[in-house]
Amino acid sequence: MRTLGDDARDVIKNLGCRLKSLRVDARMLNHYPDTVEILGARSPQTLGRLTAFIRFIAPQVKFLKVFKVEGTVPIELRLELLKALQHCSLQKVVVIGVSWALADTWTDLEDNHTSHWSLDIERPIPWKSDLPSIQQVLGQDDVVEGQQELQALSLEAVERPVALSLVEVLALGQATSVTELKFSGFVGAPMLYYPSPIAQVELSHLRNFHSLRHLTTAVWLATNYENQDLSSQISEFWKATTEKPMRIPQYLHRALKKYYTPAVLADKVAELIGPHLSAQACAHPQGVMVKALFLIQQSQDSEIFELQVLIGNKGKAMSFAGMRDENNPEKLQEKMLGREWF
């Protein structure tokens, strides 16, 4: 006699053979839970749903192409979700949350108060560790390179002093199939002008994605200059038109021109991302379209701006477009036309 459990298993099996796109989400919390234990204490139902998906549903999903994780999902669970889908030839992976999807790149910062970061300081932002020491801790010298080696490795075969990062898990399972990646979340995101050693290591794994055509990532941009917060001026500067000229002191205008014009920022984005992309991907006639997302926080509101940078051979910027805010008509139209069922 068939039971309700039998029917449920049949439904899951049937969906597993048909699903092409799938979103796993959780409630977006202002405080990002760093561990599974914190999520379990705050929202045991959410932890139960995610665990059940990993154990019972993910193994049945065979032909998934688009996978999206959205909300307050601890990094450990993000990794387990991707491990559970390693058998799928994913083409698009989206991870959206409060914190940057790959890692907290500010943990190595001596002063992690964003309000203290300024672009007019005499020396770069001080990091506790240098890049060689971070590479040694993470076993960077042993990172797998090359398509053949990646295909031959399984996740269980990798022996590292620390756990694999999210982008490494993706590289081990879907390096040849992924064409689009989106890593949102601004807390802990790479700093544009002074990226931390941790940020550079995390981004370096992108070199394994030879079919990558689109990369969207949050980037942190310092908005302080000479002990003054320029957030409102930067927002106005990016939105300024000939019909609505800006009214700010000349010395601030010089700072905006030096650090915040789209052309300057496009070069900095290419400098941050370009060296870590696959040379094969960059050499493609279409290059790699990188969308850098910037958060401008003001007293009453926050805005997200998008800068598109086309990166080609040798990781150099070929062209750029932006800045575009969330209410930009062209951006809204693109989102509506490209929106899938979720």
Side-chain angles (χ1 to χ4, degrees):
M1 185 175 187
R2 290 184 62 84
T3 65
L4 184 60
D6 294 328
D7 292 339
R9 280 187 286 271
D10 287 346
V11 170
I12 292 173
K13 184 177 180 180
N14 184 46
L15 285 174
C17 295
R18 296 175 181 273
L19 283 177
K20 303 296 183 184
S21 299
L22 180 64
R23 183 181 77 180
V24 174
D25 60 7
R27 183 181 178 185
M28 192 79 74
L29 302 176
N30 291 331
H31 174 70
Y32 180 74
D34 298 316
T35 66
V36 173
E37 288 75 16
I38 295 177
L39 179 62
R42 288 174 171 265
S43 182
Q45 297 86 355
T46 299
L47 178 58
R49 287 193 298 107
L50 293 172
T51 303
F53 175 85
I54 292 169
R55 291 182 60 188
F56 303 116
I57 300 179
Q60 303 295 325
V61 179
K62 305 298 183 182
F63 306 107
L64 202 64
K65 299 298 181 185
V66 179
F67 184 57
K68 182 176 183 180
V69 181
E70 183 170 1
T72 306
V73 180
I75 289 180
E76 303 103 300
L77 283 181
R78 294 177 183 176
L79 292 173
E80 293 302 318
L81 286 166
L82 291 173
K83 288 179 183 179
L85 294 170
Q86 191 189 12
H87 56 278
C88 297
S89 297
L90 297 176
Q91 296 177 357
K92 178 179 179 179
V93 177
V94 179
V95 184
I96 299 175
V98 174
S99 295
W100 194 50
L102 302 187
D104 180 0
T105 71
W106 303 348
T107 57
D108 202 41
L109 187 62
E110 292 181 358
D111 181 0
N112 61 3
H113 295 285
T114 58
S115 60
H116 298 171
W117 303 344
S118 180
L119 292 180
D120 60 323
I121 55 179
E122 296 181 356
R123 65 189 181 96
I125 293 175
W127 303 105
K128 297 176 184 177
S129 305
D130 56 17
L131 185 56
S133 64
I134 294 292
Q135 289 175 322
Q136 183 177 8
V137 170
L138 294 180
Q140 182 72 3
D141 294 339
D142 298 326
V143 171
V144 180
E145 294 189 43
Q147 181 174 331
Q148 294 179 346
E149 290 87 346
L150 280 169
Q151 291 176 333
L153 264 177
S154 66
L155 291 171
E156 292 75 15
V158 179
E159 295 182 359
R160 296 282 299 282
V162 294
L164 291 170
S165 70
L166 185 146
V167 73
E168 285 180 287
V169 171
L170 271 174
L172 287 167
Q174 286 90 16
T176 59
S177 62
V178 166
T179 60
E180 183 172 356
L181 294 171
K182 181 174 182 179
F183 303 132
S184 189
F186 289 95
V187 177
M191 299 178 65
L192 184 63
Y193 277 91
Y194 304 119
S196 70
I198 294 176
Q200 296 178 62
V201 169
E202 289 294 334
L203 291 170
S204 71
H205 304 305
L206 294 171
R207 69 185 182 278
N208 292 309
F209 295 89
H210 304 307
S211 300
L212 190 65
R213 295 290 170 264
H214 300 274
L215 171 66
T216 302
T217 182
V219 178
W220 190 267
L221 181 64
T223 57
N224 289 340
Y225 185 81
E226 295 186 354
N227 297 319
Q228 181 176 349
D229 182 15
L230 301 184
S231 296
S232 60
Q233 290 89 345
I234 293 170
S235 175
E236 184 181 354
F237 182 58
W238 287 345
K239 295 178 179 178
T241 63
T242 55
E243 292 79 14
K244 188 181 178 181
M246 295 185 63
R247 297 179 179 179
I248 60 173
Q250 186 63 30
Y251 79 96
L252 288 184
H253 195 269
R254 289 195 296 269
L256 293 174
K257 288 284 188 181
K258 181 178 180 180
Y259 293 110
Y260 298 106
T261 64
V264 170
L265 292 174
D267 286 338
K268 296 302 293 184
V269 168
E271 183 180 318
L272 173 69
I273 304 293
H276 304 301
L277 295 175
S278 160
Q280 181 178 331
C282 292
H284 190 275
Q286 296 178 0
V288 179
M289 178 59 72
V290 175
K291 293 183 180 180
L293 306 179
F294 299 96
L295 176 67
I296 301 299
Q297 295 177 305
Q298 303 184 49
S299 57
Q300 301 297 326
D301 198 8
S302 297
E303 297 177 287
I304 296 177
F305 290 85
E306 175 188 282
L307 176 64
Q308 299 183 64
V309 184
L310 180 61
I311 296 182
N313 275 323
K314 298 182 180 180
K316 303 297 183 182
M318 299 173 62
S319 62
F320 69 91
M323 295 284 186
R324 303 194 303 179
D325 63 8
E326 293 295 297
N327 296 317
N328 180 278
E330 292 182 1
K331 182 175 177 62
L332 288 174
Q333 184 178 21
E334 289 176 6
K335 291 179 68 174
M336 291 300 298
L337 293 176
R339 189 178 296 277
E340 300 182 19
W341 66 269
F342 55 75

